[in-house]
Amino acid sequence: MKKLFGTDGVRGVANVYPMTSEMAMQLGRAAAYIFKNSLRRHRIVIGKDTRLSGYMIENALMAGICSMGVDVLQVGPLPTPGIAYITSSMRADAGVVISASHNPFQDNGIKFFFKDGFKLPDAMELKMEELIFSQKIDSLRPIATEVGKAYRIEDAIGRYVVFLKSTFPKELDLSGMKIVLDCANGAAYKVAPAVLSELGAEVIKFGVQPNGTNINDGCGSLHPEVISEAVKEHRADLGIALDGDADRVIFVDEFGNEVDGDHIMAICASDMLKQNMLRKSTVVATVMSNMGLDIAVKKAGGKVVKTAVGDRYVVEEMRRGGYNLGGEQSGHMIFLDHNTTGDGMLTALQVLAIMRRTGKTLSELAQVMTPLPQVLVNVRVAERQDIMTIPEIAALVNDVEAKLGDEGRILIRYSGTEPLLRIMMEGQDKYQITSWAKEIAALVENKLGGH
């Protein structure tokens, strides 16, 4: 059982345990110990988003890493996928991202990448925790010339911009396109406008003036209404909204309608299937993806494999199965042919390439998928129990599943952060599935309800 690491690194309110400078230093020391596996000089890349607390945590991490005799390569504010790319391309031993992604500015987080650019496996995170809490490495103190150094990589942004542009077809450009872009006052505030402008687009920018406290504040992928209004006002071709660390993206079409991650997966999968580029004709999504995605991909000649919620589980399944496209409804999209983690700008470029090559608008492309009506009902519970062990609930769930058949589904799971049971149902008739979901919820509340 992990004590510090969650599904995406260590995260919490900055300057409150475990997101303190003291713990950051300990994490730096543990990481340096794990990745220092020979007599040569070792290097760890550190990057961050634009949060005020990033300075405090960055310096603590650097101190911990250098105190173990490992050098630090600082890249400053850079998207999470950019840090994964720099780690791999510079042949560093590991990468560290200081970010709480889409969370408000007072939160922060620390997540690690292995030298290949992929997130650390659970076993390695457990090893780091064991080193910290057992105090095994407290006495290890390199001295004199063995202490680590810190270097700033001045051209990190340029390197990442060049990489992103290399994923866009060389025979195409974005000249004549008007794009509304919202960078959430986060890590992509320099990178994203540069990429689109250099490819020839006219860019209308939002969320590019970070001040340390305005990251994700009424902007970015959590607030697509900002770009929706701007697209209509400026009569733009589409809108692109990133989150604070730019590993996810949400679009709006030329009419201002939201286009979520499921639609983007359907668009990209259908295009890749036509070009015979989708490995094993398979897309990896999570259990939260709409069943409309399954129908769309099947119609195009492919299939969808589902994982637990979380982009790390999507990536793990992609690597295990040898797949090259995966993602989440929330806008995390992974193109393993190009990068090792979710990348909002890379995703945007793949969609823009399809638009350019086909001559279709985003609204036309999005018609490839018709989402099924979806209902979500939350029930507050006093205790977590496998509801299928309660005969009355199991009988009702089984009866509803039989009535839904192949034209719908039920997903029942506990929240990872709250005492809630989430009942999600999809089907052809929204009125009917709403009625069934409420019926199940009422029975669950009667048996397990907490007030």
Side-chain angles (χ1 to χ4, degrees):
M1 184 77 176
K2 289 188 283 190
K3 300 176 183 176
L4 294 174
F5 288 90
T7 56
D8 198 22
V10 182
R11 191 176 291 189
V13 177
N15 227 15
V16 175
Y17 182 88
M19 282 309 303
T20 62
S21 53
E22 292 86 355
M23 182 54 72
M25 184 180 288
Q26 290 285 73
L27 284 164
R29 285 178 57 79
Y33 178 81
I34 285 176
F35 295 115
K36 189 176 180 182
N37 52 20
S38 68
L39 295 176
R40 64 174 174 82
R41 296 294 293 194
H42 289 70
R43 305 180 302 167
I44 293 179
V45 173
I46 294 183
K48 60 184 179 180
D49 63 23
T50 57
R51 293 164 207 271
L52 182 64
S53 58
Y55 296 99
M56 170 186 77
I57 296 166
E58 179 182 35
N59 283 297
L61 270 167
M62 284 171 52
I65 291 168
C66 290
S67 75
M68 293 295 285
V70 173
D71 295 340
V72 170
L73 304 177
Q74 289 177 274
V75 300
L78 196 69
T80 289
I83 296 161
Y85 166 73
I86 294 288
T87 299
S88 175
S89 69
M90 293 198 68
R91 308 298 194 269
D93 296 283
V96 190
V97 179
I98 303 166
S99 174
S101 191
H102 56 278
N103 286 26
F105 89 94
Q106 60 265 28
D107 293 347
N108 218 326
I110 300 172
K111 51 189 169 187
F112 295 86
F113 288 104
F114 197 49
K115 62 184 178 181
D116 58 6
F118 287 99
K119 292 178 181 177
L120 298 189
D122 289 341
M124 203 168 277
E125 291 179 343
L126 283 166
K127 176 66 174 173
M128 288 176 66
E129 290 189 359
E130 195 257 331
L131 289 169
I132 290 169
F133 292 115
S134 68
Q135 302 178 327
K136 282 184 179 179
I137 58 175
D138 283 7
S139 60
L140 297 178
R141 305 281 174 179
I143 59 172
T145 59
E146 294 302 310
V147 172
K149 303 175 186 177
Y151 306 86
R152 184 164 291 279
I153 308 300
E154 300 290 353
D155 62 346
I157 288 175
R159 286 171 183 248
Y160 184 49
V161 167
V162 169
F163 159 71
L164 285 172
K165 286 165 60 182
S166 75
T167 71
F168 192 79
K170 287 184 170 55
E171 69 276 10
L172 301 176
D173 63 35
L174 300 177
S175 58
M177 289 195 82
K178 187 185 289 187
I179 299 172
V180 173
L181 173 68
D182 188 342
C183 297
N185 290 312
Y189 78 102
K190 287 184 179 179
V191 168
V195 170
L196 296 177
S197 296
E198 289 180 23
L199 288 171
E202 178 187 345
V203 184
I204 299 156
K205 297 179 287 188
F206 291 83
V208 291
Q209 295 181 308
N211 61 16
T213 63
N214 61 358
I215 186 171
N216 300 314
D217 186 11
C219 57
S221 63
L222 292 178
H223 298 277
E225 65 274 9
V226 174
I227 57 171
S228 176
E229 288 304 312
V231 163
K232 288 182 282 188
E233 179 186 344
H234 293 276
R235 297 184 178 180
D237 293 287
L238 76 161
I240 298 169
L242 305 166
D243 69 337
D245 70 335
D247 65 350
R248 71 168 70 179
V249 61
I250 292 294
F251 298 80
V252 300
D253 65 21
E254 69 275 20
F255 301 113
N257 301 313
E258 184 177 336
V259 181
D260 66 14
D262 284 344
H263 281 86
I264 297 305
M265 277 189 280
I267 290 168
C268 293
S270 299
D271 185 75
M272 291 169 74
L273 282 163
K274 286 176 185 174
Q275 298 186 69
N276 203 26
M277 291 175 59
L278 188 65
R279 282 192 218 151
K280 300 185 179 179
S281 300
T282 299
V283 180
V284 181
T286 76
V287 291
M288 292 305 291
S289 278
N290 191 281
M291 199 170 170
L293 173 64
D294 303 66
I295 296 168
V297 173
K298 184 178 180 181
K299 187 176 179 181
K303 66 175 181 176
V304 178
V305 170
K306 299 281 180 75
T307 73
V309 176
D311 64 307
R312 71 179 296 169
Y313 301 115
V314 173
V315 174
E316 285 173 5
E317 178 60 24
M318 291 173 72
R319 296 180 77 187
R320 187 198 66 76
Y323 310 124
N324 60 345
L325 175 64
E328 294 188 281
Q329 191 180 63
S330 61
H332 277 116
M333 220 63 55
I334 302 103
F335 294 84
L336 277 191
D337 291 337
H338 300 296
N339 208 349
T340 55
T341 189
D343 192 325
M345 273 310 296
L346 194 154
T347 301
L349 291 176
Q350 306 314 301
V351 172
L352 287 165
I354 296 170
M355 290 176 67
R356 278 314 223 190
R357 196 173 59 249
T358 63
K360 292 183 178 180
T361 64
L362 185 54
S363 66
E364 289 172 331
L365 290 174
Q367 289 173 16
V368 71
M369 174 185 154
T370 302
L372 263 64
Q374 189 178 84
V375 173
L376 178 65
V377 180
N378 293 323
V379 183
R380 188 164 293 275
V381 294
E383 60 173 314
R384 293 183 179 228
Q385 183 178 336
D386 181 357
I387 64 164
M388 297 305 281
T389 62
I390 302 172
E392 298 95 324
I393 298 176
L396 178 57
V397 170
N398 289 333
D399 180 53
V400 171
E401 282 184 329
K403 289 174 180 174
L404 284 168
D406 295 332
E407 297 190 340
R409 66 175 180 135
I410 306 173
L411 175 64
I412 302 176
R413 68 184 186 96
Y414 285 102
S415 165
T417 55
E418 302 173 86
L420 295 176
L421 182 72
R422 304 193 190 282
I423 302 164
M424 191 272 281
M425 196 175 300
E426 291 173 348
Q428 303 291 339
D429 184 334
K430 186 164 186 177
Y431 176 81
Q432 183 64 76
I433 61 173
T434 300
S435 174
W436 284 334
K438 287 181 177 178
E439 187 179 355
I440 293 171
L443 189 54
V444 169
E445 188 167 23
N446 178 259
K447 298 292 184 181
L448 298 176
H451 303 284

